[in-house]
Amino acid sequence: MYEQTIFRILKEAGPAGLSVKKIARHVYNEQNTFFSVVDFADVHREVQLFLMRNSRQANAMLEHAEGRGMYRLNQNSPKTMQLMLEFSDDEEEDDAPKPTTDLSLSLFD
């Protein structure tokens, strides 16, 4: 459910990784809106289960980082490398300059 958000957050965190609580807080802040209220305990539980399930194997996309409860992207996983390429393609599309037109009114015409 929060898979893409978790991967994006861990990509931004870099090789040091983040704790489960911080990842859950980022996901909670992103998902919680005025019209869609989510409970932090539910988000934390789902994030924790997702991280544990996806970090068990040696070639998994996630791995434990230094410290208790810390996770990061597994740089040796082929799936992670593919994901990084997809994220970098998305960033390049967003960086394209958009033409601007001056819509202001002149005071002296």
Side-chain angles (χ1 to χ4, degrees):
M1 181 172 188
Y2 305 126
E3 177 178 321
Q4 292 297 322
T5 305
I6 293 170
F7 287 135
R8 185 182 44 74
I9 291 167
L10 288 174
K11 179 190 177 289
E12 292 174 7
L18 284 175
S19 68
V20 175
K21 186 174 183 178
K22 287 187 179 184
I23 296 168
R25 180 63 61 189
H26 282 286
V27 172
Y28 172 78
N29 287 337
E30 190 166 309
Q31 299 296 320
N32 198 25
T33 64
F34 185 71
F35 298 106
S36 173
V37 179
V38 293
D39 184 37
F40 178 72
D42 293 338
V43 172
H44 186 275
R45 185 172 44 264
E46 287 186 41
V47 167
Q48 188 174 29
L49 288 173
F50 177 80
L51 292 171
M52 286 190 315
R53 270 183 281 151
N54 290 295
S55 64
R56 290 189 178 169
Q57 290 125 4
N59 62 349
M61 293 179 73
L62 304 173
E63 65 182 356
H64 291 280
E66 298 294 323
R68 183 172 180 248
M70 301 286 287
Y71 289 89
R72 65 181 171 209
L73 291 175
N74 182 359
Q75 299 298 324
N76 298 325
S77 170
K79 291 180 183 178
T80 303
M81 291 180 200
Q82 179 64 34
L83 182 70
M84 298 294 259
L85 289 174
E86 289 174 15
F87 277 135
S88 65
D89 288 345
D90 290 344
E91 289 174 2
E92 288 176 7
E93 291 174 6
D94 293 341
D95 292 340
K98 298 176 182 171
T100 59
T101 56
D102 186 15
L103 300 175
S104 63
L105 298 174
S106 175
L107 295 174
F108 303 106
D109 283 339

